[in-house]
Amino acid sequence: MSTARTRVAPVPLGLPRRLVDITLDGEQVRVPEDSTILDACGAVGTEVPTLCYGDTLTPRNACRVCVVEVAGARTLAPACSRKVEEGMEVRTDSPRVRHSRRLVLELLGSSVDLSTTPGVAEWNERYGADPDRFGPRAEPAPLGERDARHAGEHEAGDGSAAATVEQPAKDDNDLYVRDYAKCIMCYKCVDACGEQWQNTFAIGVAGRGFDARISTEHDVALPDSACVYCGNCIEVCPTGALSFTTEFDMRAEGTWDESRQTRTTTVCTYCGVGCNVTLHVQENEIVKVTSPHDNPVTHGNLCIKGRFGFQHVQRDGERADRRGRSGGGPGRMG
């Protein structure tokens, strides 16, 4: 008589769903139908690296870091979007999977600044990824040079350096900074600004191939675009390409330290909707605001006041106008 034990993943509240049996790294696992492979992995504690995945967004399958091997499939499958099927056999750490993840991390690391991307250093070590093997990094492009390129005009390099997307940060408003040298083109900001949440459509994708980049319409400055400064794009950005002005400044000064920050979740007081806000506090000062993704009211989303309207509770003169401006003061709330 078999003594094999089947692990049953927790079933979220809601309408009843049929359970299906799959084999995950040799272990029998029972999960609700319509779950993704990533859901199944998370339910039983199997770690799968992700970058473009967002728990409040529809998967784009852009980064390919989360690929797994499904028995009988010709290609590796993205765990974030592939739904489980009865009897499916999945391997999350096979040689083929490890090779693919290593190459993806190397290609990303050779062209993008991943210094503020959580987990990447550990993943590089785990999979033996060496982004430097493609050669020295090319010099950063001048500000605006990448945005001036047109599709089809890309010139192949001579192989002496690895092409990068590095460029100076775009700092054209009071509230947040766009550092596209750290952008991996995951499309999460585009989706959060567009049809999946905000429906503002202030940003989109311009260019093609390696010259593809996130941009406002006609590359206008953010204050001249349709942006309403909800900051929901910052909430979903996985690499730090989008960040609060306060965080950007503190990182530049070397004072940003998440280990010294406390997080307190409370209810936004600006209106009666009841949005939850999480205050990130360092040295008795609010340095940024996020929102819980599991909150049924906000799902991680806020408006300009909830996201940036916190300077009025700071001590007089505290960081206000550190660069000659308020960094989220009432002038922006008008």
Side-chain angles (χ1 to χ4, degrees), residues 51-57 184 186-193 196-197 203 231-242 290 293 299-301 307:
L51 282 174
C52 72
Y53 171 73
D55 57 356
T56 62
L57 298 168
I184 62 169
C186 67
Y187 300 93
K188 291 170 72 173
C189 60
V190 177
D191 290 338
C193 183
Q196 293 196 32
W197 285 115
I203 55 177
N232 295 330
C233 55
I234 306 174
E235 183 75 39
V236 299
C237 180
T239 64
L242 305 173
T290 58
H293 288 197
H299 298 286
N301 299 294
R307 184 83 62 187

Side-chain angles (χ1 to χ4, degrees), residues 106-218:
E106 288 177 338
L107 290 172
L108 284 175
S110 70
S111 59
V112 181
D113 176 9
L114 300 178
S115 60
T116 56
T117 305
V120 164
E122 293 80 3
W123 299 339
N124 283 341
E125 182 177 357
R126 180 191 308 170
Y127 299 110
D130 179 20
D132 294 333
R133 74 184 182 92
F134 296 112
R137 300 170 71 90
E139 291 296 319
L143 185 62
E145 191 273 335
R146 283 183 54 81
D147 292 293
R149 296 177 185 174
H150 295 283
E153 294 185 358
H154 177 73
E155 296 182 6
D158 58 9
S160 61
T164 74
V165 299
E166 292 191 27
Q167 57 188 297
K170 295 186 176 183
D171 184 9
D172 55 9
N173 67 95
D174 293 351
L175 304 181
Y176 70 96
V177 177
R178 298 174 290 159
D179 188 359
Y180 289 141
K182 300 176 180 178
C183 178
I184 62 169
M185 294 296 296
C186 67
Y187 300 93
K188 291 170 72 173
C189 60
V190 177
D191 290 338
C193 183
E195 62 183 8
Q196 293 196 32
W197 285 115
Q198 191 63 27
N199 286 290
T200 297
F201 301 97
I203 55 177
V205 179
R208 293 292 184 271
F210 192 81
D211 289 335
R213 66 270 181 193
I214 304 300
S215 178
T216 57
E217 187 174 4
H218 301 301

Side-chain angles (χ1 to χ4, degrees), residues 7-314:
R7 298 181 65 178
V8 180
V11 180
L13 295 178
L15 295 176
R17 290 191 288 171
R18 183 175 66 91
L19 297 179
V20 297
D21 292 314
I22 67 171
T23 302
L24 186 61
D25 292 330
E27 181 179 7
Q28 295 296 314
V29 178
R30 183 168 293 167
V31 296
E33 63 179 346
D34 292 330
S35 298
T36 63
I37 295 175
L38 187 63
D39 292 334
C41 291
V44 298
T46 300
E47 183 182 358
V48 173
T50 62
L51 282 174
C52 72
Y53 171 73
D55 57 356
T56 62
L57 298 168
T58 300
R60 278 277 197 165
N61 309 323
C63 75
R64 315 305 287 188
V65 175
C66 73
V67 291
V68 295
E69 189 168 5
V70 177
R74 179 177 60 86
T75 61
L76 298 177
C80 65
S81 62
R82 179 66 183 271
K83 297 293 182 65
V84 297
E85 299 173 11
E86 182 68 39
M88 176 183 280
E89 297 181 18
V90 180
R91 299 175 66 189
T92 67
D93 200 40
S94 68
R96 190 181 177 196
V97 168
R98 294 180 64 86
H99 176 78
S100 177
R101 290 178 185 170
R102 177 175 65 84
L103 185 58
V104 168
L105 290 169
E106 288 177 338
L107 290 172
L108 284 175
S110 70
S111 59
V112 181
D113 176 9
L114 300 178
S115 60
T116 56
T117 305
V120 164
E122 293 80 3
W123 299 339
N124 283 341
E125 182 177 357
R126 180 191 308 170
Y127 299 110
D130 179 20
D132 294 333
R133 74 184 182 92
F134 296 112
R137 300 170 71 90
E139 291 296 319
L143 185 62
E145 191 273 335
R146 283 183 54 81
D147 292 293
R149 296 177 185 174
H150 295 283
E153 294 185 358
H154 177 73
E155 296 182 6
D158 58 9
S160 61
T164 74
V165 299
E166 292 191 27
Q167 57 188 297
K170 295 186 176 183
D171 184 9
D172 55 9
N173 67 95
D174 293 351
L175 304 181
Y176 70 96
V177 177
R178 298 174 290 159
D179 188 359
Y180 289 141
K182 300 176 180 178
C183 178
I184 62 169
M185 294 296 296
C186 67
Y187 300 93
K188 291 170 72 173
C189 60
V190 177
D191 290 338
C193 183
E195 62 183 8
Q196 293 196 32
W197 285 115
Q198 191 63 27
N199 286 290
T200 297
F201 301 97
I203 55 177
V205 179
R208 293 292 184 271
F210 192 81
D211 289 335
R213 66 270 181 193
I214 304 300
S215 178
T216 57
E217 187 174 4
H218 301 301
D219 189 37
V220 299
L222 210 59
D224 298 325
S225 73
C227 179
V228 296
Y229 295 94
C230 62
N232 295 330
C233 55
I234 306 174
E235 183 75 39
V236 299
C237 180
T239 64
L242 305 173
S243 63
F244 277 69
T245 296
T246 48
E247 178 178 350
F248 183 84
D249 287 344
M250 292 175 69
R251 285 189 183 277
E253 297 168 355
T255 57
W256 181 264
D257 187 354
E258 293 187 2
S259 66
R260 295 161 51 200
Q261 295 175 12
T262 60
R263 300 185 182 187
T264 303
T265 298
T266 184
V267 179
C268 179
T269 59
Y270 276 108
C271 73
V273 172
C275 300
N276 277 193
V277 293
T278 300
L279 308 179
H280 298 242
V281 178
Q282 181 175 327
E283 296 180 358
N284 202 32
E285 177 187 359
I286 300 173
V287 292
K288 75 174 183 179
V289 175
T290 58
S291 181
H293 288 197
D294 59 354
N295 183 269
V297 177
T298 61
H299 298 286
N301 299 294
L302 294 170
C303 72
I304 180 176
K305 294 183 179 181
R307 184 83 62 187
F308 295 106
F310 55 82
Q311 291 296 333
H312 65 289
V313 303
Q314 310 281 40

